[in-house]
Amino acid sequence: KYDEALRAFKKLSSILPESTEVIYHIADLLDILDDVEGSIEWFGRLITRVPTDANALARLGSLYTRIGDESQAFHYHLKSYRYYPVNMDVISWLGAYFVKCEMYEKAVEYFQRAYEIQPAEVKWKLMVASCYRRTGLYRQAKELYESIHRSHPENVECLRYIVHICGDLGLQDEALQYR
């Protein structure tokens, strides 16, 4: 009964206009009800009262992503990261943003951070290696792919990239050992 809850929180907001908890619940309910503009407005109110709330900043970033405002999305995700640099959704978003902008060196920073937080998750190392490859650091990428292969020999994606990068480097004989 989200609509009823929203009405109740808005009524409560008129009684307790400074309550950050009430403001948060209104913003959250508007998001659930897919009123993105309304949710942005209320999360904006929330961060004026609690400007270091990393969760609210991340939510604003996600909302701006949904409406296609990349610059605002970047702004709020980056602010969120500064206050809470271990939110994996924010780290992943920032890394992907820099890849999309073809700023691979910056993307590496975020994917390496993600790997530090989740060392068992192979995708972060693969993302770092991909960024190395895209910046032309083929030897570094190859070494990282080989390291990944040693620790995750079942990872087909990694094998495919090793073969591809060996081909790019003119190492066809070496590529054969991975096929």
Side-chain angles (χ1 to χ4, degrees):
K1 298 184 179 185
Y2 297 124
D3 290 319
E4 284 181 42
L6 181 59
R7 280 192 297 279
F9 276 113
K10 282 190 173 181
K11 184 183 261 187
L12 190 55
S13 174
S14 65
I15 299 166
L16 301 168
E18 300 299 314
S19 172
T20 56
E21 291 87 356
V22 172
I23 294 169
Y24 170 81
H25 286 292
I26 292 171
D28 186 48
L29 284 164
L30 288 167
D31 187 13
I32 290 168
L33 292 168
D34 208 30
D35 180 352
V36 177
E37 295 293 333
S39 187
I40 286 172
E41 177 189 335
W42 282 88
F43 273 116
R45 290 182 190 184
L46 180 61
I47 64 165
T48 61
R49 288 173 176 76
V50 191
T52 60
D53 185 330
N55 180 51
L57 292 165
R59 291 286 295 272
L60 268 170
S62 295
L63 289 164
Y64 278 111
T65 297
R66 283 174 41 197
I67 63 170
D69 189 337
E70 289 289 309
S71 65
Q72 285 289 68
F74 173 71
H75 171 76
Y76 286 110
H77 278 105
L78 189 59
K79 282 183 82 168
S80 175
Y81 178 79
R82 287 182 182 145
Y83 292 116
Y84 189 66
V86 293
N87 181 324
M88 292 304 295
D89 291 332
V90 170
I91 292 169
S92 179
W93 190 93
L94 287 166
Y97 173 82
F98 284 115
V99 166
K100 188 157 89 174
C101 294
E102 298 182 5
M103 298 173 66
Y104 303 112
E105 296 87 359
K106 289 295 292 176
V108 164
E109 294 175 29
Y110 292 97
F111 294 137
Q112 284 179 327
R113 178 76 175 135
Y115 172 71
E116 291 169 8
I117 296 166
Q118 293 180 333
E121 184 60 60
V122 70
K123 75 178 178 180
W124 304 124
K125 276 182 141 178
L126 287 169
M127 295 301 291
V128 170
S130 173
C131 289
Y132 288 159
R133 187 172 41 87
R134 291 176 183 191
T135 57
L137 299 171
Y138 297 115
R139 295 255 180 234
Q140 209 169 341
K142 180 180 172 282
E143 289 171 11
L144 185 52
Y145 283 130
E146 289 172 338
S147 168
I148 295 167
H149 177 64
R150 283 191 294 279
S151 59
H152 297 76
E154 75 291 343
N155 190 297
V156 177
E157 183 180 3
C158 181
L159 278 171
R160 188 173 53 240
Y161 284 127
I162 290 174
V163 170
H164 189 291
I165 207 162
C166 283
D168 289 348
L169 292 170
L171 304 170
Q172 280 72 22
D173 292 339
E174 196 172 325
L176 291 174
Q177 78 182 18
Y178 292 106
R179 290 184 181 197

